[in-house]
Amino acid sequence: METHVEDKFITAESLVGAESDLLDANKNEEPRVGMSFDSDEAAKAFYDEYARRIGFLTRIVSSRKSERDGSFISRRLACNREGYNVNSQKTGRLQIRKRESKREGCMAMILVKRDKPGKWVVTKFVREHNHPLVISLGKVCSTADYKDQRIRELSSQLRHANQQLEACREQLRAITTYIEEHTYRLSRTVEDIVSNVKEVESEGQELSHRQFEPMFLQRQPCT
């Protein structure tokens, strides 16, 4: 049983929660046959993120349900320009105009099927588009705003690091100054001690000389 679902657009914002369910898909990699996911929502989230990055929107083209329990067993996601639009439809005398569409028969798509173990596997992938790919201005602005925010955050962190570095330099200069002053005082103390020792030695020698001189005079014979 295959159910066609028209005009259901999938955006990255609506599937943010499902992104955490990606099994083996890197958000920066391209879809490939054999890629597996934990759920169909995870597959949609991955394909929508890929579409956002490349520059197009996605749409659920068709879904197939199990005849046994009615659960989904496959989904086909495609570029929103897949197929062709019927500009108007006549019903009796009343003409109903459908909303304007940009469908151009683009063949880009991805087909995922539920595997027996419960995983969803990519069984078909068409990369080529027949129209220019354009990233929306909103996405570009969001990216630019994010970059500006990151630049401001990093600049703030850099200023904080420079302030810490300057504080460390001030502490280092204070320690160096203290060491130099302490070394100078210690040097002066050593010089004073050496000078005092020399004075004591000089005074001792002079005292010994004075004590020895009278004894020498007493021992000399009278002439």
Side-chain angles (χ1 to χ4, degrees), residues 63-129:
S63 300
R64 187 178 179 184
K65 293 183 178 181
S66 171
E67 296 180 356
R68 184 178 59 183
D69 56 11
S71 61
F72 286 107
I73 58 176
S74 72
R75 285 190 184 276
R76 187 160 69 96
L77 305 172
C79 173
N80 71 322
R81 297 193 182 187
E82 180 269 348
Y84 295 94
N85 181 61
V86 179
N87 293 327
S88 63
Q89 175 182 335
K90 292 184 178 180
T91 304
R93 295 181 180 179
L94 179 63
Q95 183 177 2
I96 301 175
R97 294 186 59 84
K98 289 189 175 182
R99 65 181 179 181
E100 183 181 358
S101 175
K102 296 182 179 180
R103 296 187 190 179
E104 302 177 6
C106 182
M107 299 297 293
M109 54 83 69
I110 185 175
L111 178 63
V112 291
K113 293 184 178 181
R114 189 177 67 188
D115 202 0
K116 290 183 179 179
K119 304 299 181 182
W120 285 75
V121 181
V122 177
T123 60
K124 186 176 181 180
F125 169 57
V126 178
R127 178 189 301 105
E128 292 75 15
H129 295 258

Side-chain angles (χ1 to χ4, degrees), residues 18 20 31 73 80 90 96 106 139 142 185 189 215 217 219:
S20 60
I73 58 176
N80 71 322
K90 292 184 178 180
I96 301 175
C106 182
K139 302 295 184 183
S142 298
R185 289 195 298 268
T189 302
M215 294 176 59
L217 294 175
R219 290 180 179 180

Side-chain angles (χ1 to χ4, degrees), residues 86-216:
V86 179
N87 293 327
S88 63
Q89 175 182 335
K90 292 184 178 180
T91 304
R93 295 181 180 179
L94 179 63
Q95 183 177 2
I96 301 175
R97 294 186 59 84
K98 289 189 175 182
R99 65 181 179 181
E100 183 181 358
S101 175
K102 296 182 179 180
R103 296 187 190 179
E104 302 177 6
C106 182
M107 299 297 293
M109 54 83 69
I110 185 175
L111 178 63
V112 291
K113 293 184 178 181
R114 189 177 67 188
D115 202 0
K116 290 183 179 179
K119 304 299 181 182
W120 285 75
V121 181
V122 177
T123 60
K124 186 176 181 180
F125 169 57
V126 178
R127 178 189 301 105
E128 292 75 15
H129 295 258
N130 66 346
H131 57 87
L133 300 177
V134 180
I135 300 177
S136 67
L137 181 61
K139 302 295 184 183
V140 175
C141 292
S142 298
T143 302
D145 292 342
Y146 173 75
K147 289 182 179 179
D148 290 342
Q149 181 181 356
R150 286 296 298 158
I151 290 174
R152 289 192 295 269
E153 290 176 355
L154 293 175
S155 298
S156 177
Q157 293 176 6
L158 180 60
R159 286 194 298 270
H160 181 66
N162 287 335
Q163 291 174 356
Q164 289 183 326
L165 179 60
E166 184 61 29
C168 292
R169 287 175 177 172
E170 288 293 336
Q171 293 180 356
L172 182 60
R173 282 194 288 266
I175 293 173
T176 302
T177 301
Y178 171 79
I179 292 175
E180 291 176 351
E181 293 177 352
H182 183 72
T183 301
Y184 175 75
R185 289 195 298 268
L186 182 61
S187 177
R188 292 297 303 272
T189 302
V190 171
E191 290 177 358
D192 292 341
I193 292 174
V194 171
S195 178
N196 292 335
V197 169
K198 289 182 178 180
E199 289 180 0
V200 170
E201 290 178 348
S202 177
E203 291 177 355
Q205 290 177 357
E206 184 178 354
L207 180 61
S208 298
H209 180 72
R210 289 178 180 177
Q211 292 177 350
F212 179 74
E213 185 176 3
M215 294 176 59
F216 177 77

